Amino acid sequence: DMLACQPIGLNATVVRYIRDDKGFTTPREGIARLVFNPIPPDAGAPGSKRGLILTNGDFFDGEVEGMDFETVVWGRPQRVRAAVRSVLFGTRKFDAESEVIAIELAEVSLAPATYEVRMDDGSLQRAKQIKVGKSGVEVDGVARPVAGWKRL
């Protein structure tokens, strides 16, 4: 699945994000890539390497330790910064908005699905079963709002 949202935090177990002005968490193990800026076509799908795709075109190879709001300049709003531990460079921090295109956390493993539900905001959900009824739509047994659906 692909969810259009604003990632704001990450630790060993969860990813925190904002969507529709509400805060959410999801298990980190289910996330392959966090995207902060447009991905260049040559980046491809998340692969076996872990680390950051940087806006300067480099890949910073390493284990992503975390991501959170930090004060970068006193008196200015906090910024989301990602910490990555590299064997070669040690632990380095990067500004997610200005220095990072994407964080590679894991390889993509697509689960079998009969349908793909595309939303207006760019989100994509793969589903085995969809039921449409008078009260709404169920995607894999969970009721979903239909507002924002683009294509099924």
Side-chain angles (χ1 to χ4, degrees), residues 5-69:
C5 65
Q6 178 187 0
I8 58 167
L10 167 75
N11 63 29
T13 58
V14 298
V15 173
R16 294 188 335 269
Y17 63 94
I18 295 173
R19 180 174 177 161
D20 299 327
D21 296 324
K22 295 178 186 162
F24 298 94
T25 61
T26 192
R28 178 177 171 161
E29 67 191 29
I31 306 294
R33 176 186 273 172
L34 297 173
V35 179
F36 298 90
N37 288 293
I39 298 177
D42 60 341
S48 59
K49 290 179 118 182
R50 307 293 181 266
L52 307 179
I53 301 172
L54 301 175
T55 54
N56 67 5
D58 290 343
F59 184 83
F60 192 85
D61 195 0
E63 185 62 34
V64 180
E65 293 183 330
M67 181 178 75
D68 214 337
F69 282 104

Side-chain angles (χ1 to χ4, degrees), residues 2 18 40 44 84 91 101:
M2 189 168 51
I18 295 173
V84 184
T91 299
I101 291 175

Side-chain angles (χ1 to χ4, degrees), residues 89-110:
F89 299 109
T91 299
R92 298 259 323 263
K93 290 188 176 184
F94 296 88
D95 184 281
E97 186 178 315
S98 65
E99 297 178 293
V100 177
I101 291 175
I103 298 177
E104 303 286 340
L105 297 172
E107 287 186 65
V108 171
S109 57
L110 295 177

